Structures are given as C-alpha cells and as structure tokens.
Amino acid sequence: MKDILKDLDKAFENKVRLGIMSALVVNTHLDFNALKDLLGVTDGNLASHLKYLEKHAYVEFKKEFLDRKPNTKYMATKKGITAFKKHLQAIEKLI
C-alpha cells in the first residue's frame, strides 16, 4: 500500500489542478478563458492554480496577441504529463 501512496502527487490533490491537467493532457494547449469556462472557476482562482503548476514545471505558457488582444496559451510539460499519468495509475491501483 505504501508503494501506491508514494506515487500520488500532492500537486493534483486539488480538484481545480486535477481538472487543469486533465484538460491540458488531452489538448495540445488551451487558453486562459477556455480553461476558466471549462472548469467554472474565477480568474483569480485559475491563475493561482496555474501558478502552482508552473512552479512545479507541470505547465508552461506562451503569451501572444490575437486581434490586438493578449492571449495566453497553457500547455502541459513532459514532466507534468509523466507526473499526472503516474498519479492516475496510483489512483487506479487504489481502486
């Protein structure tokens, strides 16, 4: 049992961060507003969770302008995808 628990990642214990990673793993990228709408969270809430995942190098972002409006795209990193899959496998083993 301890071997399974060690593979659970605290970064994904929060449902918003779990949702962010779920969305980014199956999409090449999503912009801030798409993530916000998908998860049904506020700007500040999403921003703080994205910052947490960035700090752990699980997501990265790219800023650009679309029709003179700023647009930030978020992508899961290889490290993030690996950690997320490991976390999901641990949950599957627990079930």
Side-chain angles (χ1 to χ4, degrees):
M1 183 67 133
K2 285 184 180 181
D3 289 340
I4 296 170
L5 294 177
K6 75 173 176 57
D7 289 336
L8 293 174
D9 192 322
K10 288 196 178 284
F12 309 126
E13 286 180 357
N14 180 281
K15 71 177 185 174
V16 175
R17 290 192 296 267
L18 186 67
I20 291 168
M21 287 305 293
S22 295
L24 294 179
V25 166
V26 298
N27 293 283
T28 57
H29 66 274
L30 288 171
D31 66 28
F32 187 88
N33 287 328
L35 280 169
K36 185 176 81 164
D37 292 343
L38 181 67
L39 299 171
V41 295
T42 63
D43 288 1
N45 195 359
L46 180 58
S48 66
H49 289 295
L50 284 167
K51 188 174 224 170
Y52 181 92
L53 292 169
E54 288 170 37
K55 183 176 125 183
H56 286 81
Y58 289 166
V59 299
E60 59 188 7
F61 63 93
K62 179 181 177 185
K63 292 187 179 242
E64 59 189 16
F65 284 89
L66 296 175
D67 297 324
R68 296 185 182 186
K69 293 180 185 176
N71 183 288
T72 306
K73 292 181 181 179
Y74 290 89
M75 293 84 50
T77 63
K78 287 182 183 183
K79 178 181 177 182
I81 292 168
T82 300
F84 186 69
K85 287 181 178 179
K86 189 174 180 181
H87 182 79
L88 291 181
Q89 288 169 347
I91 291 173
E92 287 173 353
K93 287 178 186 174
L94 283 172
I95 294 172

